[in-house]
Amino acid sequence: GNLSRRPAQWPMSHERVKRGWVWNQFFVVEEYTGTEPLYVGKIHSDSDEGDGSIKYTISGEGAGTVFIIDEVTGDIHATERLDREEKTFYTLRAQARDRQTDAPLEPESEFVIKVQDINDSEPKFLEGPYIGSVAELSPIGTSVMKVMASDADDPNYGSSARIVYSVLEGERFFTVDRQAGVIRTAVADLDRETQDRYELVVKATDMAGQMGGLSGSTTVTIVITDVNDNPPRFPQKMYQFSVSEGAAVGTSIGRVIATDADMGENTDMSYLIKDEEGGELFRVSTDGDTQEAVITIKKSLDFENKRTHNVVVEAVNKHVDPRFVDLGSFRDQTIMRVSVSDVDEPPIFIPPTGTIMEVQEDVHLGALVGIVTAKDPDMDNVPIRFSIDRNTDQEQIFNIDPVTGAITLGKILDRETAGWHNITVTAVEADNQSMASQTAVSIRILDVNDNPPELATPYEASICEDAKPGQLIHTISVVDRDEPQSGHRFYFTLAPEASNNRHFTLWDIKDNTAGIRTQRSGFNRREQNVYLLPILVVDSGPPALSSTGTLTIHVCGCDTDGAIQSCNATAYVMSAALSPGALIALLVCILILIVLVLLILTLKRHRKGQRMSEDEEDMRDNVIKYNDEGGGEQDTQAYDMSALRSLYDFPEVKNSDSGPDLHPVPQWIQNRVVGDGGPKVEQADADLSVPPYDSFQTYAFEGSSSPALSLSSIRTLSTTSEQDFSYLSDWGPRFRQLAGYYAPAQPEEEGS
């Protein structure tokens, strides 16, 4: 192609000038094999007058390498062999310039060089080789899989990329769709058991399969999957097994297997025993891993009873395909012949599960309790010897005859002590002690009426003094260690010595209980607070036994609602419950306590008398006067010494482990005002042997118009004060007497 330019002058002013390029696409064939550069096309400007004043240049993809241009003529050549499958087109830009000034004469324009396709690429199966599968016995035309080839040639130009498919190998069993590439079955009798896979070669040809087209091929492996079209089959119609008659239940006898030409779950099968006799003695199960039939013993075998057993075993497929049921039965049978071998067996007891015997509790020594039977199950029928396991009969209550198995009584029985005896009897063969077996014998002791009935506790009752006649005051019941088979029946009556009493009556309720009713009213516990009522109880036998029990009835005082308040019988019961020695010990303890209390009181009074005499001796006239402060402006009287000489009780201070006993301050002290002062206070405080009151001065009156208030601290002894002076006791011995004045009142000391 070429480029041309419409006639136009180069713009000499600032007016806009249209481009003059006229384009045709360039095409170049791929895979050029010539020796000279391949001509592609020519670009030309309308302003080119052929004088060589215009220089043509190109830029873009492949410019200067793949494509070159003649600067004078504008001819473009391809210098390399092009491959459309590698690159389909190239985009370049053309420019016309003035050769002298290198100024552009035209705006730069873009053009495209397309690579023209030739059939140089063969079809390829990019996903091959292929593996597919189809079930055996599938109908003709069943789709197996799809194959696909691709061609790198241009699918829009010619037939270079038009592909058709064909089967080169395996066309007898499979076909392929020419256009779509779908592989299908060509026959209906594909049998996995005959051939389980097929190898196909599929070819793809371009140019729509025409002569000269290129082709490629791939292999296709088709696996034939299994269907359950084969029944199970036992390789043999009979199997021989042998087992000892002493084999335990659950012992495996042997294994058989039915073969199946199928595979996977189509070979899963179950086994069952078809004959009734074999089903009673044997059990068959399927080994899930090996699909074998495992035959085990279901019931103990007996050589002496039957020596050979023919067991019919059937194998059945678990997963039967209904499409192939017409091929035949999907099950098979075989016979298992089991031979039982003889072994020396221990004796067996009859019955084998144990024996229950009964015997009266009053039978005599040596009496027959029962007979144990055992035999040798072997053909020899060896004699049996019996014995009792003494670990189960340590008291040797029973004996057994070693030959006959007769159990006899060795000691007197008592049902009330033990109602059942469970012993173990051992049987051994006479000539082989190792052949031994044991059985449990339970002996029930039958009851004999040998225990009289007795009144059940409690044996006491209470009534109110104002009880009404006919009032039910107590219900009595009975205990009896016997257990007659027909049940208990007891009869109640008052003992002969109490049958004529006028106080109480007995009422037989007929349900093995009896009620006590009052016969009169007006009981008085001061006259008689206890009544003893003997009651006779008789059982139904045989033989009938009886006993007499005494019911103690207490007369009590009750409230208006009938609730018991007190009974004189309480003290009586307590004294009756104590022994003479206990009473003597109790009295001695009480006397000792009384003596100790009196002794303490005596000592306390004695010590108090001594202290009071000492306090009186301390009251002397040597009160030292110092620093007399006076009584105020209107006080015309001095302090009165007689106030100190008056006899009053100073509180006592007693030393003890628990602290000082503080006593209340005398009333007259609470009504005075006391002051202290003077230079001898320190001397008096330092003397620990002098009481603190030897320097007190009293002021009865300070004057009504004195501007000075009282300086006394003792005015705080008011009874209404809430101040706590307990801290004075912590100030030492000099303040001990003062602390006594302020201590809380002690009523017991005031009383003394």
Side-chain angles (χ1 to χ4, degrees):
N2 55 22
L3 297 172
S4 63
R5 180 84 182 270
R6 289 197 304 270
Q9 294 182 353
W10 185 253
M12 299 298 294
S13 65
H14 294 286
E15 296 180 359
R16 182 184 179 192
V17 180
K18 292 184 178 180
R19 289 177 48 190
W21 295 98
V22 177
W23 288 98
N24 290 319
Q25 279 189 335
F26 293 107
F27 291 93
V28 58
V29 67
E30 66 171 336
E31 304 294 343
Y32 173 69
T33 59
T35 58
E36 298 294 330
L38 178 63
Y39 179 76
V40 176
K42 181 182 182 70
I43 60 174
H44 182 74
S45 175
D46 291 343
S47 62
D48 188 0
E49 298 179 355
D51 57 359
S53 62
I54 297 177
K55 179 176 70 174
Y56 295 97
T57 62
I58 58 174
S59 62
E61 296 179 332
T65 56
V66 179
F67 302 103
I68 58 174
I69 187 171
D70 190 314
E71 293 183 353
V72 177
T73 62
D75 293 332
I76 299 175
H77 290 79
T79 62
E80 295 181 4
R81 183 176 178 179
L82 302 180
D83 186 359
R84 191 204 67 84
E85 287 73 32
E86 181 178 340
K87 190 171 180 63
T88 58
F89 65 90
Y90 296 84
T91 302
L92 297 96
R93 290 176 299 281
Q95 180 76 65
R97 296 177 178 271
D98 185 281
R99 185 176 297 275
Q100 298 297 327
T101 64
D102 200 36
L105 301 177
E106 300 287 347
E108 190 178 55
S109 297
E110 188 177 272
F111 67 97
V112 175
I113 300 176
K114 288 190 174 181
V115 183
Q116 193 171 7
D117 184 48
I118 65 173
N119 189 19
D120 61 341
S121 298
E122 73 278 2
K124 294 181 179 178
F125 293 92
L126 301 180
E127 298 179 1
Y130 296 87
I131 298 178
S133 63
V134 66
E136 62 177 330
L137 302 180
S138 295
I140 295 176
T142 301
S143 175
V144 179
M145 64 182 304
K146 181 180 180 179
V147 295
M148 180 179 293
S150 61
D151 196 317
D153 292 324
D154 190 353
N156 300 318
Y157 180 78
S159 300
S160 298
R162 292 180 59 188
I163 300 173
V164 296
Y165 300 94
S166 60
V167 178
L168 293 182
E169 297 180 13
E171 65 276 7
R172 176 185 168 188
F173 303 102
F174 299 94
T175 61
V176 65
D177 188 285
R178 284 177 56 83
Q179 306 297 330
V182 177
I183 300 175
R184 303 179 184 275
T185 58
V187 295
D189 60 349
L190 292 175
D191 186 11
R192 187 200 66 81
E193 289 75 30
T194 302
Q195 185 174 347
D196 61 354
R197 67 175 54 220
Y198 293 86
E199 300 288 342
L200 274 68
V201 177
V202 178
K203 182 175 73 171
T205 306
D206 61 11
M207 299 298 292
Q210 297 177 2
M211 185 69 68
L214 302 179
S215 64
S217 62
T218 186
T219 59
V220 180
T221 301
I222 299 177
V223 178
I224 309 302
T225 59
D226 186 58
V227 298
N228 193 6
D229 59 339
N230 293 280
R233 290 289 181 263
F234 284 105
Q236 301 174 216
K237 290 301 179 184
M238 179 177 289
Y239 295 87
Q240 295 277 356
F241 295 99
S242 178
V243 63
S244 169
E245 66 171 333
V249 173
T251 302
S252 174
I253 297 175
R255 292 172 173 244
V256 296
I257 187 170
T259 60
D260 192 327
D262 296 318
M263 62 181 300
E265 68 174 11
N266 295 323
T267 63
D268 292 347
M269 62 187 72
S270 58
Y271 298 92
L272 61 151
I273 296 176
K274 296 297 293 183
D275 60 303
E276 183 177 350
E277 179 186 355
E280 292 180 357
L281 297 176
F282 304 96
R283 178 182 289 108
V284 63
S285 60
T286 304
D287 188 321
D289 296 330
T290 63
Q291 293 298 310
E292 292 177 307
V294 182
I295 313 299
T296 57
I297 298 176
K298 181 179 179 181
K299 186 178 179 181
S300 297
L301 304 177
D302 187 3
F303 171 82
E304 289 73 25
N305 185 27
K306 191 172 183 178
R307 304 184 181 184
T308 303
H309 301 274
N310 293 323
V311 184
V312 179
V313 177
E314 183 177 74
V316 182
N317 270 144
K318 288 184 178 180
H319 311 287
V320 177
D321 195 328
R323 297 176 297 173
F324 309 112
V325 293
D326 57 343
L327 297 180
S329 175
F330 282 80
R331 61 184 62 222
D332 193 22
Q333 293 182 350
T334 188
I335 297 176
M336 297 181 58
R337 175 167 292 177
V338 181
S339 299
V340 182
S341 58
D342 186 29
V343 295
D344 191 5
E345 300 173 89
I348 58 174
F349 287 93
I350 304 172
T353 57
T355 304
I356 297 178
M357 300 179 181
E358 295 181 345
V359 61
Q360 297 281 345
E361 67 173 319
D362 61 347
V363 296
H364 57 83
L365 292 177
L368 178 64
V369 178
I371 298 177
V372 178
T373 303
K375 69 173 184 177
D376 181 11
D378 297 320
M379 297 293 293
D380 298 337
N381 195 16
V382 176
I384 305 300
R385 297 293 180 262
F386 300 94
S387 62
I388 295 177
D389 184 355
R390 289 304 175 186
N391 290 326
T392 62
D393 184 28
Q394 296 182 354
E395 298 180 6
Q396 298 187 6
I397 300 175
F398 303 98
N399 297 318
I400 190 170
D401 188 298
V403 177
T404 64
I407 298 177
T408 57
L409 192 62
K411 288 186 178 180
I412 297 298
L413 299 174
D414 182 14
R415 190 205 64 82
E416 287 70 35
T417 302
W420 284 85
H421 293 275
N422 298 311
I423 64 175
T424 300
V425 175
T426 303
V428 299
E429 293 183 1
D431 58 353
N432 187 358
Q433 298 292 324
S434 63
M435 289 292 104
S437 57
Q438 292 183 327
T439 188
V441 178
S442 299
I443 302 174
R444 179 184 180 187
I445 311 303
L446 300 179
D447 185 47
V448 174
N449 192 30
D450 55 352
N451 291 279
E454 298 176 354
L455 290 182
T457 57
Y459 305 121
E460 296 186 358
S462 300
I463 61 171
C464 296
E465 289 182 299
D466 57 352
K468 304 294 188 295
Q471 179 178 339
L472 179 64
I473 63 172
H474 189 66
T475 301
I476 60 176
S477 58
V478 177
V479 293
D480 193 332
R481 298 177 63 192
D482 295 320
E483 292 182 1
Q485 295 182 355
S486 59
H488 288 293
R489 179 67 182 97
F490 302 110
Y491 305 92
F492 300 88
T493 181
L494 292 177
E497 61 270 21
S499 59
N500 297 324
N501 81 93
R502 297 177 292 103
H503 311 294
F504 306 98
T505 59
L506 180 68
W507 172 40
D508 193 339
I509 306 178
K510 305 299 185 183
D511 62 349
N512 292 337
T513 61
I516 305 299
R517 295 178 182 272
T518 57
Q519 195 171 355
R520 66 178 181 85
S521 61
F523 292 92
N524 190 337
R525 54 177 170 168
R526 292 176 179 82
E527 296 178 358
Q528 184 173 352
N529 64 342
V530 175
Y531 293 88
L532 302 179
L533 189 64
I535 300 173
L536 178 65
V537 184
V538 184
D539 62 18
S540 57
L545 300 178
S546 64
S547 68
T548 301
T550 300
L551 178 67
T552 302
I553 303 174
H554 300 276
V555 181
C556 303
C558 304
D559 58 13
T560 57
D561 296 329
I564 296 176
Q565 297 298 318
S566 63
C567 299
N568 290 341
T570 303
Y572 169 78
V573 172
M574 289 181 59
S575 62
L578 295 175
S579 63
L583 288 174
I584 294 173
L586 182 60
L587 292 175
V588 170
C589 291
I590 293 173
L591 291 175
I592 292 174
L593 289 176
I594 293 173
V595 171
L596 288 176
V597 171
L598 293 176
L599 182 60
I600 292 172
L601 292 176
T602 302
L603 291 175
K604 189 173 183 181
R605 288 182 177 275
H606 180 69
R607 291 180 61 188
K608 185 174 181 180
Q610 290 181 349
R611 186 61 180 268
M612 289 180 64
S613 62
E614 293 175 0
D615 291 343
E616 292 176 355
E617 293 176 359
D618 288 340
M619 297 299 296
R620 48 191 180 267
D621 296 337
N622 56 350
V623 177
I624 301 173
K625 176 182 177 182
Y626 59 92
N627 196 18
D628 187 0
E629 296 180 358
E633 289 81 359
Q634 298 181 11
D635 185 9
T636 58
Q637 298 178 0
Y639 57 87
D640 188 6
M641 288 298 295
S642 62
L644 291 176
R645 294 192 180 96
S646 63
L647 295 177
Y648 56 88
D649 291 336
F650 280 93
E652 297 181 6
V653 179
K654 298 179 180 180
N655 294 326
S656 64
D657 295 338
S658 60
D661 292 338
L662 302 180
H663 303 284
V665 179
Q667 186 65 31
W668 69 269
I669 293 180
Q670 299 184 16
N671 297 328
R672 290 185 178 272
V673 178
V674 180
D676 59 351
K680 295 187 178 181
V681 173
E682 295 180 0
Q683 179 181 356
D685 290 343
D687 189 357
L688 299 179
S689 62
V690 178
Y693 54 79
D694 58 353
S695 62
F696 283 4
Q697 297 188 30
T698 61
Y699 299 87
F701 179 72
E702 293 184 357
S704 59
S705 61
S706 173
L709 300 178
S710 173
L711 300 177
S712 174
S713 62
I714 303 184
R715 189 173 291 276
T716 58
L717 285 173
S718 172
T719 56
T720 60
S721 175
E722 295 180 357
Q723 187 170 358
D724 183 12
F725 295 94
S726 60
Y727 60 89
L728 295 175
S729 60
D730 301 326
W731 285 12
R734 290 178 292 179
F735 294 90
R736 184 175 302 158
Q737 192 71 24
L738 185 61
Y741 294 154
Y742 284 81
Q746 301 292 336
E748 58 184 13
E749 283 298 311
E750 290 179 358
S752 61

